[in-house]
Amino acid sequence: MNEYDSDKMADVLRAREGMEQTDNPEDADVILFNTCSVREKAQEKVFSDLGRVRPLKQAKPGLLIGVAGCVASQEGEAIVKRAPYVDMVFGPQTLHRLPQLMAARRASGRPQVDISFPEIEKFDHLPQARTTAGSAFVSIMEGCSKYCSYCVVPYTRGEEISRPFADVLRDVQILTAQGVGEITLLGQNVNAYCGVMEDGETVDLAFLLQALAALDDVQRLRFTTSHPREMTQRLIDVYVSTPKLASQLHLPVQSGSDRILAAMKRGYTTLEYKSIIRKLRAARPDIVLSSDFIVGFPGETERDFEATLKLVEDIEFDASFSFLYSSRPGTPAAEMQDEVQHEVKAERLQRLQDLLAAQAQELPKKLIGTTQRVLVESVSRKDAQEVAGRMDNNRIVNFVGSPGMVGRFVDVKITGVWAYTLRGELVLNQD
Ligand code: SAH
Ligand code: SF4
């Protein structure tokens, strides 16, 4: 999500200010930090990063420094108080106003803060995306109305709001006209999508996926992130009807303990989660599943944690994410009694990560000998003869190829696995 937002900031500055991106801070006229506040560590990092670019401003007085994203949204004016050399502070919903904020900063000489939630006007003010890549993200909804007890997202990104169906369709067509074959529909809870049509009716994610799959130029579709509560039968059925939908789903479960799931306000039980997985596997037997886990939620007992391990063992996930619970100010969980020792939590996280890592090694073994359709994403940094491609199941395979293949779909035979990386050979005689 943040990467998508960063790209949009670059698009805005390119289209409206004629700026180019640079990797070298010394060359920059504007330095933006796009921040995340989902866990405390990410939040603290921004202030140390800001301290590091401060000397650049002394050397180049016209340099503008901006803080964007959810830390900006949550802290607002407090950022300017703590770091007065910051020029612009803006949230995920106001990034399209960056040129106005820069102009106001230059004209007034004062830092500008705009962290409002102006509904979904953002998308009407963003320039058209330009890309040379084979795959692209398209945002279909923003925000979250789930209010899980530990999570700061509904407060920093606002409530769920969907983009109209026609707007999404247009964005996808603009991208496919530039040669993009794979589209990932993006949102905090994409399966809550509820987009209005021109006649005022609304459509869901299942409809949207099928409509996009009907476009000849769309070769592969993904969507992320989904919430188990809205994993409807209609959506599961799309895995049967629509081969262009990739055999992969990231479906965060967070915990395998019903007691903890209730305290997290996730709105489902482990049984319900497992039942969704069963239906998904019936619909698409080779589907690869990944998840998010929070370890050490307030009051988590050894028994609760073991239930999480059990769920992981039962389901078998591929490459998942797991985090130590981080108390976020303003969320209900921050008020909960939390006696679990940090060492206990850290040790649990390690156990879970060991199990997840062991499971993530299983899939590559099963793939050896199979032929996979891959979208070539990049030339290897280490070896110019090698390229990396993404399979339908979201895994990356490296093989001998040429730079001209980047952005194209090719068939690759999987020949081996080395640590987490797969190796393959290009299948010749492809049409
Ligand atoms: N909307 C998505 C996830 C968005 S946040 C969903 O609900 O599935 C991404 C992940 O960050 C979450 O899935 C959760 O595992 C983690 N996360 C969110 N708040 C957290 C917190 N306070 N402490 C630790 N991890 C957290
Ligand atoms: Fe946060 Fe829950 Fe919304 Fe995901 S569904 S963004 S975890 S509040």
Side-chain angles (χ1 to χ4, degrees):
M1 201 72 174
N2 270 30
E3 275 178 38
Y4 176 89
D5 287 350
S6 298
D7 285 347
K8 294 297 139 191
M9 290 174 213
D11 286 350
V12 168
L13 292 181
R14 193 184 309 111
R16 310 265 187 265
E17 303 282 315
M19 296 188 127
E20 270 173 56
Q21 243 174 299
T22 172
D23 289 334
N24 184 4
E26 270 98 51
D27 293 341
D29 298 310
V30 177
I31 297 179
L32 300 176
F33 292 94
N34 191 14
T35 60
C36 174
S37 60
V38 89
R39 285 174 293 279
E40 191 179 4
K41 214 164 161 190
Q43 174 144 5
E44 276 309 305
K45 201 166 171 282
V46 64
F47 287 103
S48 57
D49 286 343
L50 278 170
R52 254 184 287 134
V53 297
R54 187 180 187 178
L56 295 179
K57 191 145 180 171
Q58 277 140 12
K60 193 198 256 185
L63 172 69
L64 293 180
I65 297 176
V67 178
C70 290
V71 176
S73 191
Q74 203 169 28
E75 302 282 317
E77 295 279 350
I79 294 181
V80 182
K81 287 220 177 74
R82 190 162 154 189
Y85 50 94
V86 169
D87 301 292
M88 294 94 54
V89 175
F90 54 100
Q93 305 302 344
T94 45
L95 59 89
H96 59 290
R97 295 184 183 163
L98 186 51
Q100 290 94 300
L101 292 174
M102 284 162 48
R105 166 69 183 86
R106 287 187 179 119
S108 70
R110 283 194 305 274
Q112 301 294 311
V113 179
D114 184 353
I115 50 165
S116 55
F117 291 133
E119 290 286 304
I120 205 135
E121 69 161 46
K122 174 168 80 178
F123 293 101
D124 299 331
H125 293 82
L126 287 174
Q128 284 190 0
R130 277 200 291 126
T131 180
T132 50
S135 67
F137 289 113
V138 172
S139 172
I140 63 166
M141 56 85 64
E142 293 261 310
C144 180
S145 311
K146 303 286 185 288
Y147 294 93
C148 300
S149 61
Y150 52 82
C151 185
V152 82
V153 170
Y155 311 100
T156 57
R157 284 189 177 264
E159 295 245 328
E160 283 164 8
I161 178 148
S162 295
R163 296 181 65 199
F165 174 75
D167 290 14
V168 175
L169 199 64
R170 193 202 52 216
D171 274 13
V172 169
Q173 283 167 325
I174 288 169
L175 289 163
T176 54
Q178 298 174 64
V180 172
E182 176 177 304
I183 301 282
T184 302
L185 303 179
L186 193 64
Q188 211 55 246
N189 283 300
V190 272
N191 52 357
Y193 179 74
C194 179
V196 282
M197 305 270 276
E198 257 127 39
D199 61 7
E201 293 286 311
T202 55
V203 295
D204 62 0
L205 180 64
F207 182 96
L208 178 63
L209 285 166
Q210 283 168 306
L212 296 179
L215 303 174
D216 284 341
D217 292 338
V218 170
Q219 302 197 45
R220 196 191 261 167
L221 287 165
R222 302 181 194 277
F223 56 90
T224 195
T225 305
S226 311
H227 195 289
R229 231 159 77 186
E230 279 141 341
M231 212 57 224
T232 60
Q233 189 60 47
R234 265 178 63 76
L235 186 52
I236 295 170
D237 289 343
V238 183
Y239 282 96
V240 179
S241 67
T242 311
K244 284 182 184 176
L245 179 58
S247 292
Q248 170 246 331
L249 180 67
H250 183 69
L251 194 62
V253 63
Q254 315 298 0
S255 167
S257 153
D258 287 339
R259 209 177 63 81
I260 296 294
L261 286 175
M264 288 177 163
K265 282 193 46 217
R266 288 291 290 179
Y268 53 84
T269 62
T270 47
L271 199 64
E272 282 163 331
Y273 186 85
K274 282 184 179 168
S275 146
I276 295 167
I277 302 297
R278 203 167 37 244
K279 288 183 207 157
L280 281 163
R281 284 189 165 142
R284 186 69 73 84
D286 67 348
I287 195 164
V288 165
L289 300 159
S290 55
S291 201
D292 289 349
F293 300 88
I294 296 176
V295 170
F297 187 80
E300 182 189 76
T301 62
E302 179 62 23
R303 212 167 144 193
D304 292 318
F305 175 67
E306 277 167 11
T308 301
L309 293 180
K310 173 85 171 58
L311 181 87
V312 173
E313 270 160 15
D314 288 351
I315 293 183
E316 294 184 19
F317 292 101
D318 192 36
S320 294
F321 300 99
S322 46
F323 316 97
L324 270 192
Y325 166 73
S326 170
S327 171
R328 305 314 291 126
T331 61
E335 314 290 315
M336 292 177 192
Q337 196 76 356
D338 179 15
E339 306 90 4
V340 190
Q341 299 280 311
H342 179 76
E343 298 75 59
V344 175
K345 293 180 184 177
E347 183 258 347
R348 284 181 191 162
L349 182 67
Q350 193 56 52
R351 278 157 72 195
L352 175 62
Q353 290 187 337
D354 289 347
L355 177 60
L356 291 169
Q359 289 194 342
Q361 285 176 353
E362 288 307 307
L363 178 69
K365 291 184 203 153
K366 288 186 205 148
L367 294 172
I368 293 176
T370 64
T371 297
Q372 302 282 330
R373 190 135 187 89
V374 312
L375 174 59
V376 184
E377 288 195 340
S378 58
V379 176
S380 157
R381 261 192 234 157
K382 286 187 230 128
D383 181 350
Q385 307 294 315
E386 293 243 319
V387 292
R390 191 176 296 271
M391 298 179 223
D392 205 64
N393 59 27
N394 215 23
R395 282 287 191 142
I396 300 285
V397 56
N398 296 311
F399 57 100
V400 174
S402 65
M405 286 178 180
V406 173
R408 277 174 40 205
F409 281 87
V410 294
D411 286 338
V412 173
K413 184 165 182 200
I414 309 301
T415 53
V417 43
W418 195 79
Y420 286 99
T421 334
L422 286 148
R423 294 216 44 87
E425 277 166 13
L426 189 66
V427 177
L428 298 171
N429 305 324
Q430 302 183 29
D431 49 337

